[in-house]
Amino acid sequence: MTAQLGTPQEALLPALNFSVTPIDLQTQKIESARQKGRQVETSFAITRTVLLALNAADGMPEARQLKDFFAWPTWQAPGVPKPSHKWTAIFGTQTRAFEGVHGAASAGGLPTIIRTSDHIRVTDAMWQMLQAQECVVLCTGLVGDPTAAEFGAAAAGGKLQAVLAQALFH
């Protein structure tokens, strides 16, 4: 899904592809701990949330440009990314669709508004996750429409940048 940028910063961003998918994130909450000899094996709880990937539609220069534009920290997947109070993902309640991303204005600047050209309807399971958690993971670092295997390899290789952002419903 491509996007349009709604501010004077329009020339700075390449065309975007959006993909919306559920993912598992490892939390800091300990689920279990058991002793094995002199070591303690600890398992952390997993939470399911919605991931919005903002991918450059064309090539690598655009991917680097996208990374520089958002300047999100490198994501240490599968952990929860750092929260961001600047970015918000917008969802329509009547359509149950992802409609775009809003970035708060920096001092003296204009807000960044990225609208999808076609609203992306989310599954019922993802809608329930969004309603319960009221947050999403926003992610960059890939090009085009990556497969699950490509996404997994990039996440494991530390090649993705992400933040945990508020989901706003209207």
Side-chain angles (χ1 to χ4, degrees), residues 138-158:
L138 298 176
C139 170
T140 63
L142 296 172
V143 177
D145 294 316
T147 65
E150 291 170 328
F151 178 80

Side-chain angles (χ1 to χ4, degrees), residues 20 23 63 86 112 130 164:
V20 182
I23 57 166
K86 178 179 179 181
T112 301
L130 287 166
L164 186 66

Side-chain angles (χ1 to χ4, degrees), residues 2 37 50 65 120 125 144 158:
T2 57
V50 174
Q65 189 179 20
I120 304 167

Side-chain angles (χ1 to χ4, degrees), residues 78-150:
V80 178
K82 294 181 180 184
S84 171
H85 299 290
K86 178 179 179 181
W87 297 98
T88 305
I90 311 298
F91 293 88
T93 54
Q94 289 185 342
T95 60
R96 290 190 173 190
F98 169 61
E99 297 177 357
V101 178
H102 179 270
S106 56
L110 296 171
T112 301
I113 301 168
I114 303 169
R115 294 182 181 95
T116 60
S117 54
D118 294 316
H119 295 173
I120 304 167
R121 185 165 165 72
V122 299
T123 66
D124 290 342
M126 284 192 281
W127 187 254
Q128 289 174 357
M129 282 185 261
L130 287 166
Q131 295 286 299
Q133 297 170 0
E134 297 181 347
C135 64
V136 296
V137 173
L138 298 176
C139 170
T140 63
L142 296 172
V143 177
D145 294 316
T147 65
E150 291 170 328

